[in-house]
Amino acid sequence: MSTNEASGRRRFLSTVVLLGAGSTASAAPKSKPAEVNATEDLMREHGIIRRTLLVYEEIARRLDLREEKAPVEVLAQATRLMRRFGEAYHEKTEETEVFPKLVKAGQQKALVQVLIEQHAAGRKLTESILAATSGRDALTQPQPRAAAARQLNLFIRMYGPHAAREDTDLFPAFRNLFDEKQFNELGERFEAQEHRLLGSDGFENALKEVAQLERTLGIHDLARFTPSER
């Protein structure tokens, strides 16, 4: 075999090997995305809560308009979602897993105290709003409508800053208390607690529920919230 022929053969074999490697790589199964970590989990839960606040905001707007029929059933369902998912699950996780560890570490004590007080205030509002939805003639008279709208607006005004401060100040400080192994174990414990309290698809079911509430009120189209120049 001549030198040119040998060189050409080597180039051919190299090309075959590279092509084979490429096809093997493309055929390999894609790796699964990383699991949601503990603080990301808490922030996603804030997303459910914030979307419930949008439902509250729309209902409060309608309650302020006498010609609008009060969406009592939607309000009752949204309030029960807030109580079940936001308070009995999300806030309880913060109160048992997040707040005590930060306080023990001597961090964010003043903020934690305010957050605890706001949890308690929110639960009182939730119970009052839910009570207003009971009865055959619920929210048909001006005074109860105005009172419910005020309570909804109080809840919205409190919880927006509450969740924002947790996302930007509290959760980063909490994350810094753990090394990588401890933080991974914490995420697994959070997931197990979610399954125990809400079922195997607790987050997904809450997301579906709030999406349905948005659809019922006609606020499900995100484009609707884009400002118009007209």
Side-chain angles (χ1 to χ4, degrees):
M1 181 182 298
S2 69
T3 302
N4 287 340
E5 288 175 332
S7 178
R9 179 179 175 81
R10 283 194 298 272
R11 286 197 300 271
F12 172 78
L13 290 174
S14 297
T15 302
V16 170
V17 170
L18 288 172
L19 288 172
S23 61
T24 302
S26 62
K30 294 181 180 179
S31 60
K32 290 179 64 178
E35 295 292 330
V36 175
N37 66 43
T39 50
E40 185 182 352
D41 204 15
L42 291 166
M43 290 179 182
R44 289 201 315 161
E45 290 163 11
H46 276 170
I48 299 289
I49 292 170
R50 286 187 171 103
R51 288 177 67 168
T52 307
L53 296 183
L54 291 176
V55 171
Y56 277 7
E57 185 179 322
E58 174 62 16
I59 293 174
R61 185 189 70 80
R62 296 189 187 190
L63 289 174
D64 282 335
L65 301 174
R66 289 190 177 185
E67 66 275 14
E68 284 274 1
K69 181 181 179 182
V72 178
E73 289 302 319
V74 179
L75 177 56
Q77 186 179 347
T79 310
R80 287 193 294 266
L81 175 62
M82 182 64 75
R83 185 173 63 179
R84 182 179 70 252
F85 183 86
E87 297 171 352
Y89 170 61
H90 173 83
E91 291 180 359
K92 286 296 185 183
T93 300
E94 293 176 337
E95 292 169 0
T96 58
E97 296 283 354
V98 180
F99 298 168
K101 289 182 174 63
L102 283 165
V103 171
K104 185 177 180 180
Q107 296 187 32
Q108 306 290 328
K109 286 184 177 181
L111 176 57
V112 165
Q113 184 58 42
V114 174
L115 295 173
I116 290 172
E117 291 170 1
Q118 290 185 340
H119 283 183
R123 288 166 194 162
K124 288 181 181 178
L125 286 170
T126 294
E127 289 305 314
S128 181
I129 295 165
L130 195 57
T133 65
S134 63
R136 187 177 61 182
D137 298 324
L139 301 179
T140 56
Q141 299 302 312
Q143 186 174 350
R145 286 171 67 108
R150 178 177 177 275
Q151 290 167 339
L152 288 168
N153 284 319
L154 286 172
F155 196 102
I156 293 164
R157 180 170 174 77
M158 178 187 72
Y159 222 104
H162 176 100
R165 195 65 65 89
E166 287 184 338
D167 287 346
T168 56
D169 292 351
L170 193 85
F171 296 159
F174 177 68
R175 169 65 183 92
N176 289 334
L177 298 178
F178 303 91
D179 62 30
E180 198 64 31
K181 182 175 182 295
Q182 292 170 331
F183 197 57
N184 290 337
E185 291 171 352
L186 182 69
E188 292 173 2
R189 188 159 75 246
F190 278 18
E191 185 176 2
Q193 182 168 305
E194 177 188 322
H195 293 170
R196 185 173 65 254
L197 295 177
L198 300 176
S200 59
D201 297 313
F203 176 85
E204 290 76 11
N205 288 337
L207 181 58
K208 290 177 183 176
E209 187 171 354
V210 75
Q212 182 55 51
L213 291 170
E214 292 168 341
R215 188 170 293 278
T216 301
L217 292 174
I219 60 170
H220 57 286
D221 183 3
L222 184 61
R224 152 180 191 168
F225 296 94
T226 306
S228 173
E229 294 182 1
R230 287 181 289 176

